[in-house]
């Protein structure tokens, strides 16, 4: 294989600022085409990045090896089924689908097709975050360990993503929650329960997580607090040691390049399947819904 031919589905700000330039810049991938719901948007985006616009999704699938989905969760759940059935590797955003049931259907479709998949959990691909996680004990932390996570943002008050309908409707829990839960799960052990959750304005989520070894963590999230830049911090204290991570660890393009490194290696057979795959996306969506169900 010379380069992995990737088709981009979606033409919003994230597709334009992360997916398209990342695929073009990576030595192992080629932006082979763009399809969007509005043909004129595909034509504009394709022209900007030297790719071919497609008016028909099936024709795009015939021309690519993998599909990068930069669409709302409800659309991603449907389109991922279509792409997997066509034998295409997947790059998926979070949440994986509009519902847990639809996310589970995506996982089943990927398993049936035998294709690789990657979730765009950008923080986990940041070098500083990987170094932070490498400091943690190999075994899940015990009940003598607590962890805290805070992600406070004003991104729904202005900026590129404030007009995104699904983000405006579902807020910080669906958009930031998968990143935070994923990182705490990786740091102190698999999440086994959501003991409590609270919600209040402005889009303020607070909840607790119980981890497999007995460690507990607490989370605070909002995307409607007027702060810039965002305030992001993760802290682990107790028997697992004292570990603090501030910020995202790296910018999104750097993290996306590392994601593509893993996917290309998996497809070539020179590396393992991506660990942050659609199965991981399903688990995170289940936990996000468990938080929502725990609100009192």
């Amino acid at each position: 294989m010379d380069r992995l031919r990737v088709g981009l589905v979606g033409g919003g700000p994230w597709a334009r600022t992360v997916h398209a330039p990342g695929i073009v810049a990576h030595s192992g991938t080629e932006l082979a085409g763009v399809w969007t719901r509005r043909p004129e948007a595909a034509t504009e985006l394709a022209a900007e990045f030297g790719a071919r616009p497609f008016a028909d999704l099936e024709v795009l699938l015939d021309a690519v090896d993998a599909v990068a989905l930069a669409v709302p969760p409800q659309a991603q759940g449907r389109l991922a089924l279509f792409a997997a059935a066509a034998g295409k590797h997947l790059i998926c955003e979070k949440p994986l689908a509009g519902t847990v049931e639809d996310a589970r259907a995506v996982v089943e479709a990927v398993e049936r097709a035998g294709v690789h998949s990657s979730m765009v959990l950008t923080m986990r691909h940041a070098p500083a975050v990987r170094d932070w996680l490498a400091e943690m004990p190999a075994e899940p932390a015990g009940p003598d360990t607590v962890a805290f996570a805070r992600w406070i943002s004003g991104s729904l008050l202005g900026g590129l993503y404030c007009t995104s309908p699904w983000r405006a409707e579902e807020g910080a829990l669906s958009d930031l929650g998968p990143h935070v839960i994923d990182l705490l799960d990786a740091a102190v052990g698999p999440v086994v329960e959501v003991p409590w959750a609270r919600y209040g304005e402005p889009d303020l989520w607070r909840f607790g997580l119980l981890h497999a070894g007995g460690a507990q963590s607490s989370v605070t999230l909002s995307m409607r607090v007027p702060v810039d830049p965002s305030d992001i911090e993760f802290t682990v204290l107790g028997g697992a040691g004292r570990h603090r991570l501030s910020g995202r660890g790296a910018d999104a393009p750097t993290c996306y390049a590392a994601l593509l490194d893993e996917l290309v290696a998996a497809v070539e057979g020179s590396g393992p399947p991506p660990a942050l795959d659609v199965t991981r996306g399903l688990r995170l969506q289940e936990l996000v819904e468990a938080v929502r169900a725990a609100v009192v």
Side-chain angles (χ1 to χ4, degrees):
M1 184 182 71
D2 293 327
R3 289 189 293 170
L4 187 71
R5 299 172 302 163
V6 182
L8 176 57
V9 173
W14 190 251
R16 186 179 299 274
T17 60
V18 177
H19 283 278
I23 294 165
V24 169
H26 196 277
S27 62
T29 58
E30 170 193 351
L31 184 59
V34 179
W35 179 88
T36 67
R37 184 171 51 86
R38 295 184 299 109
E40 62 273 20
T43 299
E44 179 185 349
L45 184 57
E48 181 177 350
F49 291 97
R52 175 186 170 190
F54 285 80
D56 188 313
L57 180 58
E58 289 190 58
V59 178
L60 170 70
L61 292 178
D62 286 340
V64 302
D65 308 302
V67 175
L69 295 163
V71 294
Q74 293 81 1
Q76 179 167 262
R78 298 190 301 271
L79 294 170
L81 295 178
F82 193 44
K88 308 306 171 183
H89 308 291
L90 299 179
I91 300 171
C92 295
E93 292 290 340
K94 46 72 201 164
L96 180 54
T99 66
V100 169
E101 291 72 21
D102 289 345
R104 189 169 293 115
V106 172
V107 172
E108 293 169 353
V110 166
E111 291 175 346
R112 281 196 302 271
V115 296
H116 292 292
S117 62
S118 292
M119 295 295 299
V120 185
L121 294 163
T122 47
M123 285 190 72
R124 288 289 297 281
H125 294 285
V129 173
R130 289 177 170 177
D131 291 344
W132 186 74
L133 289 174
E135 299 173 359
M136 304 297 166
E139 297 299 319
D144 58 353
T145 294
V146 293
F148 308 91
R150 181 179 71 250
W151 194 324
I152 305 298
S153 164
S155 55
L156 287 181
L157 301 177
L160 284 176
Y161 307 108
C162 68
T163 59
S164 168
W166 77 265
R167 287 183 174 89
E169 180 179 348
E170 300 190 24
L173 181 61
S174 290
D175 195 12
L176 305 181
H179 291 293
V180 173
I181 295 171
D182 171 65
L183 191 47
L184 289 171
D185 182 284
V188 295
V191 176
V192 295
E193 185 182 343
V194 181
W196 61 273
R198 305 286 187 272
Y199 175 77
E201 296 297 341
D203 184 38
L204 182 62
W205 288 91
R206 293 173 294 146
F207 55 90
L209 304 172
L210 178 64
H211 299 261
Q216 297 185 59
S217 60
S218 60
V219 178
T220 303
L221 305 174
S222 180
M223 296 173 70
R224 294 187 184 275
V225 175
V227 296
D228 186 23
S230 299
D231 183 67
I232 305 169
E233 186 170 312
F234 294 80
T235 304
V236 175
L237 298 169
R242 181 185 293 266
H243 310 276
R244 180 176 175 270
L245 175 70
S246 181
R248 291 181 172 89
D251 59 22
T254 298
C255 299
Y256 194 78
L259 178 153
L260 291 177
D261 288 342
E262 291 186 354
L263 181 62
V264 168
V267 173
E268 290 179 340
S270 61
L276 301 175
D277 60 2
V278 292
T279 299
R280 183 63 168 175
L282 169 61
R283 180 56 181 155
L284 294 174
Q285 191 154 355
E286 290 172 339
L287 289 169
V288 164
E289 291 310 311
V291 171
R292 210 181 300 277
V295 171
V296 295

